[in-house]
Amino acid sequence: MKDRIDALLAEIAGLKCSTENEIEQARVRLLGKRGDITRLFEEFRNIAPEMKRELGQKLNQLKTAAISKIEEMRDSAEQSVAVSASYDLTKPGDSYPLGSRHPVSIVRKEIIDIFRKFGYDVAEGPEIEDDWHVFEALNFPPEHPARDMQDTFFISSGNNPVLLRTHTSCVQVRAMETMPLPIRIVCPGRVFRNEAISARAHCIFHQVEGLYIDENVTFADMKQAILLFAREMFGAETQIRMRPSYFPFTEPSAEVDVSCNICKGTGWLEILGCGMVDPNVLEASGIDSKKYSGFAFGMGVERIAMLKWQVKDLRNYFENDLRFLKEFETYI
Ligand code: PHE
């Protein structure tokens, strides 16, 4: 019996089962009702009394060894099941939610890229401005009714009040005051107007305005630049239409519509205002209006973005609702 116990101890020490099934079979073979160890215990009853002490100890040792071996194998089998479940190498990886450009940024970049191709530089200026750069130098005399066109947020009153710029034309004034001629720039930026917020108006929006000043710049040059821009922006078949308009800083002035075959009604959509820079404006910035002429234009970025994606409510651009913003993920 002693040899059989030793042989079983050796067998248990060398046992290697990896699945639940194999472990259960080993348990039944050793400790089951008819298992090897159970049978040894039965035989033990008939053993000579003088041998009982030594063999009894050995048998108990064998049983403990079998039980702990089986537990040990169960533990490691459970662990490897857990490990293999969490390391399923065939599982596709979790994708990280990536941010994307805001639709206003996408359109602003598109507009700027088009004018960069035409040789325009980008100029920027402060959002908090003074009356001179926003109104006075742009030929809005005090009390001029045109100031009412742009409901202004004033920060201070006085001789040259500080205010939030109502258009980016003030950046053009700063450029005319400081840059060497000729000037060819686009001025992107945020502008502020004291307006009730609705689907079609907001107190903050973005503009890109442009300015070209050189000798002999004509209305025809302006029309051509705007036509080329419209075709780059809205497609090669696009037509433009100019309607007479009024701005204090340009003379003559026009509003520009682009042809539109999906929109209902007239088939034309207004996209920008433009005109030949008024000689008073050139002179206010120290430019000789006898020698130089130029044109300026300005457009609202949200407005163009609304046309491009058929967005009906301007407020979508300011609310940062991820469901809206995610629609623009594919634009880089
Ligand atoms: N500054 C004008 C606006 O805010 C746009 C404009 C710019 C019109 C330049 C003509 C020339 O509406």
Side-chain angles (χ1 to χ4, degrees), residues 182-227:
I183 294 173
R184 202 157 24 185
I185 51 168
V186 276
C187 316
R190 275 200 304 187
V191 300
F192 307 85
R193 291 185 193 178
N194 192 356
E195 293 202 33
I197 296 170
S198 71
R200 318 203 90 238
H202 209 286
C203 57
I204 303 178
F205 59 98
H206 297 76
Q207 282 189 328
V208 177
E209 296 209 2
L211 175 72
Y212 177 33
I213 297 179
D214 203 347
E215 292 177 39
N216 304 318
V217 177
T218 66
F219 198 97
D221 296 327
M222 175 171 79
K223 189 178 173 202
Q224 189 62 16
I226 292 171
L227 177 64

Side-chain angles (χ1 to χ4, degrees), residues 42 44 102 130 152 174-175 178 182 200 232 238 254 279 307 326:
E42 278 161 14
F44 178 75
H102 192 282
D130 54 23
T152 310
R174 287 182 180 275
T178 54
R200 318 203 90 238
E232 291 277 327
T238 308
L307 299 180
K326 273 184 175 298

